């Protein structure tokens, strides 16, 4: 039969327990908005999928000295986190649907960045009881403040960290920001680097050849 969709495969192996972003991101790439976990037995619904502007770049900052939560530690953290206030959820939805997505479709990186930063503040506040603050480490908070001071509005932490991301308008601006962060915090090229959004999603190639 036809190859099943990535979302179907993810569900069959128990992925998407809390979020379907990974499954949809692998399948489609680009900006993904999902509708939250409604049915414990099914993957969250895909609400929106749009390609990132081709010129935009992402600066990733991942200090080697830090480590985020994963595995059993992550499960334990989720089990003890307080319920998210409905007002916070409503504000995050507003930022995504009325700020983030429209700004990206219009190529407005300033409004996109500000909505992204404000969204991160709310998400970080939900994680604060487990990670000690909006960010996973005081160093990350310093890096975020420094990046914002350079005029870059869209900056935040990926999941539990320690990776930070900053969205800028083009390759030149991204390289300049990456260099500034490396020098200010004495980080290496492997800890601070420039990348672009993947608008294609994952691809599997079957390689045919003789066995030795």
């Amino acid at each position: 039969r036809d190859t099943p969709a990535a979302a179907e495969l993810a569900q069959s192996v128990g992925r998407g327990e809390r979020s379907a972003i990974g499954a949809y991101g692998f399948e489609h790439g680009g900006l993904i908005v999902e509708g939250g976990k409604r049915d414990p037995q099914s993957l969250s619904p895909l609400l929106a999928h749009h390609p990132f502007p081709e010129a935009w770049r992402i600066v990733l900052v991942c200090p080697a000295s830090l480590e985020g939560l994963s595995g059993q530690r992550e499960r334990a953290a989720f089990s003890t986190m307080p319920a998210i206030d409905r007002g916070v959820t409503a504000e995050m939805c507003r930022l995504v649907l009325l700020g983030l997505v429209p700004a990206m479709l219009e190529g407005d990186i300033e409004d996109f960045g500000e909505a992204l930063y404000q969204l991160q503040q709310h998400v970080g506040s939900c994680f604060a009881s487990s990670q000690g603050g909006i960010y996973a480490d005081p160093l990350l908070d310093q890096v975020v403040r420094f990046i914002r001071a350079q005029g870059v509005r869209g900056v935040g932490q990926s999941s539990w960290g320690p990776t930070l991301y900053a969205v800028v308008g083009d390759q030149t601006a991204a390289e300049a920001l990456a260099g500034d962060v490396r020098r200010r915090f004495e980080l290496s090229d492997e800890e601070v680097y420039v990348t672009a959004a993947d608008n294609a999603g994952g691809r599997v190639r079957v390689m045919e050849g003789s066995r030795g």
Side-chain angles (χ1 to χ4, degrees), residues 20 25 48 50 55 71 82-84 87 114 120-121 124 127 140 142 151 158 160 186 193 201-202:
H50 298 289
I84 300 174
E114 189 61 31
Q120 163 64 58
Q121 296 299 104
F127 286 10
L140 300 180
Q142 294 175 36
S158 175
W160 293 101
E186 299 181 345
Y193 55 94

Side-chain angles (χ1 to χ4, degrees), residues 33-117:
V33 180
E34 52 115 301
K37 197 73 172 177
R38 298 171 61 84
D39 179 358
Q41 304 305 316
S42 64
L43 220 56
S44 304
L46 176 63
L47 299 184
H49 160 235
H50 298 289
F52 259 67
E54 291 294 334
W56 289 10
R57 292 293 182 268
I58 303 168
V59 177
L60 296 179
V61 182
C62 187
S65 61
L66 303 180
E67 182 179 358
L69 293 182
S70 62
Q72 199 57 42
R73 291 174 63 210
E74 181 184 23
R75 287 181 177 275
F78 272 118
S79 69
T80 59
M81 282 174 55
I84 300 174
D85 183 88
R86 287 190 175 186
V88 174
T89 299
E91 177 61 13
M92 290 193 290
C93 289
R94 186 193 68 80
L95 285 166
V96 171
L97 299 179
L98 300 181
L100 201 72
V101 175
M104 196 199 71
L105 294 177
E106 295 170 356
D108 186 339
I109 196 166
E110 295 298 316
D111 283 356
F112 175 89
E114 189 61 31
L116 185 63
Y117 173 74

